[in-house]
């Protein structure tokens, strides 16, 4: 029996330029360049030990590449979400059979909504952002599924960005990288916090893989802060995906699996 890391991804779709945008102005967007950056992102996941499994393209869904919003995978269970943007709701349609080989599957049925980008796990605590995509009802439904498994679910108010994990991510089991302008550090009472560098407001989105993080190369000062805190950083250029309001967490769902030898 060996434990290994799996990263589920989706390809960049040809319609990426028609993506949802909430806090950003629409800029020209080259899906070809985004796809090449996405290839390099997947290579970074492999470098950190993940087996990357690309799920099918969703040609009708401009935001399909941002798989994180559609799926949570915890040790015990997978939860298929009910995304808050109507244009994204059907991105979950094919997920059940794709995820069943890895976990038992639960489904958020609504009427509430929840995007995976709002769910920050630290140990057995889930901090869940209350956002334009994630409602109180969605959080309640998630709590109903996860409380019996021993998870505590905390709603978290924040502002200034699309998802909670644009404002804060866990870069180790006890350290949260955050933008204190967007989320109150007191939310993470009992954990250590590290602020992003001044002038790099979008730098709080880091993807933890094992003992390292993948982090956008656009934020070198925050990278320095992470390294000073003892975190190993692998930088990737995701500038084109960032124009679609995407970050490094939202392009994959990473989890541990046990392979029977
Ligand atoms: C959206 O607005 O839904 C996409 N354009 C971006 C989603 C980014 N997802 C994430 O940060 N978890």
């Amino acid at each position: 029996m060996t434990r290994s890391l799996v990263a589920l991804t989706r390809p960049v779709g040809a319609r990426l330029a028609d993506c949802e945008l909430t806090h950003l102005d629409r800029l020209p967007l080259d899906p070809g360049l985004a796809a090449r950056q996405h290839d390099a992102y997947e290579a970074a996941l492999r470098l950190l030990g993940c087996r990357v499994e690309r799920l099918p393209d969703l040609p009708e869904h401009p935001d399909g590449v941002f798989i994180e919003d559609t799926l949570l995978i915890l040790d015990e269970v997978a939860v298929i979400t009910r995304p808050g943007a109507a244009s994204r709701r059907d991105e979950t349609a094919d997920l059940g059979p794709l995820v069943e080989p890895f976990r038992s599957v639960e489904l958020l049925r609504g009427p509430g909504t929840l995007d995976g980008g709002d769910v920050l796990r630290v140990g057995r605590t889930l901090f869940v952002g209350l956002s334009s995509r994630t409602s109180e009802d969605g959080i309640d439904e998630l709590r109903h599924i996860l409380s019996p498994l021993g998870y505590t679910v905390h709603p978290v108010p924040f502002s200034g960005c699309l998802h909670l994990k644009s404002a804060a991510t866990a870069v180790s089991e006890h350290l949260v990288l955050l933008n204190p302008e967007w989320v109150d550090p007191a939310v993470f009472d009992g954990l250590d916090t590290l602020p992003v560098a001044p002038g790099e407001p979008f730098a709080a989105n880091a993807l933890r893989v094992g003992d390292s993080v993948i982090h956008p190369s656009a934020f070198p000062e925050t990278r320095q802060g992470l390294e000073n805190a003892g975190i190993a950083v692998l930088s990737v250029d995701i500038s084109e995906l960032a124009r679609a309001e995407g970050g490094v967490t939202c392009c994959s769902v990473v989890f541990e699996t046990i392979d029977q030898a």
Side-chain angles (χ1 to χ4, degrees):
M1 248 175 21
T2 51
R3 288 176 181 277
S4 57
L5 286 172
V6 174
L8 302 181
T9 64
R10 295 253 198 209
V12 173
R15 291 188 54 208
L16 181 66
D18 299 326
C19 65
E20 294 282 339
L21 287 177
T22 307
H23 293 268
L24 299 183
D25 292 332
R26 199 167 292 278
L27 295 171
L29 209 160
D30 174 357
L33 174 56
R36 290 193 292 284
Q37 292 180 344
H38 188 260
D39 288 346
Y41 167 83
E42 289 179 329
L45 285 165
R46 288 189 192 94
L47 204 62
L48 295 181
C50 294
R51 185 174 87 237
V52 175
E53 291 207 9
R54 254 194 197 194
L55 302 190
D57 186 16
L58 298 175
E60 302 305 315
H61 288 281
D63 285 305
V65 64
F66 302 123
I67 187 173
E68 168 183 66
D69 294 320
T70 62
L71 181 64
L72 311 176
I73 301 192
L74 302 171
D75 288 349
E76 304 81 357
V77 70
V79 181
I80 297 174
T81 69
R82 185 164 186 268
S87 69
R88 302 198 57 190
R89 201 142 300 149
D90 291 345
E91 289 177 25
T92 60
D94 65 348
L95 282 176
L98 295 171
V99 174
E100 264 164 18
F102 302 109
R103 296 289 192 273
S104 69
V105 179
E106 297 279 351
L107 189 64
L108 294 186
R109 294 175 190 280
T113 59
L114 183 138
D115 277 16
D118 280 316
V119 181
L120 167 55
R121 185 189 67 79
V122 184
R124 300 197 71 81
T125 300
L126 300 188
F127 299 94
V128 187
L130 274 164
S131 71
S132 60
R133 303 289 177 83
T134 297
S135 65
E136 300 251 19
D137 284 351
I139 296 176
D140 287 346
E141 196 179 350
L142 185 69
R143 182 184 295 109
H144 186 74
I145 293 169
L146 296 182
S147 290
L149 299 173
Y151 288 93
T152 305
V153 175
H154 287 301
V156 177
F158 70 99
S159 61
C161 57
L162 179 59
H163 289 117
L164 177 63
K165 277 191 285 191
S166 309
T169 53
V171 294
S172 76
E173 275 308 296
H174 52 81
L175 182 62
V176 176
L177 174 68
L178 54 75
N179 178 339
E181 303 281 319
W182 290 349
V183 64
D184 182 356
V187 164
F188 304 105
D189 186 34
L191 296 164
D192 297 328
T193 58
L194 176 69
V196 295
E200 295 184 349
F202 285 93
N205 186 257
L207 174 62
R208 183 171 171 222
V209 184
D211 293 330
S212 303
V213 298
I214 296 177
H215 192 248
S217 55
F219 308 124
E221 290 184 31
T222 300
R223 175 186 176 135
Q224 191 60 61
L226 285 164
E227 288 176 341
N228 292 347
I231 307 292
V233 181
L234 185 53
S235 295
V236 293
D237 181 1
I238 56 152
S239 56
E240 210 65 8
L241 294 159
R243 289 182 173 214
E245 219 163 347
V248 287
T249 63
C250 61
C251 295
S252 61
V253 174
V254 177
F255 57 95
E256 198 173 71
T257 190
I258 298 175
D259 302 317
Q260 311 287 342

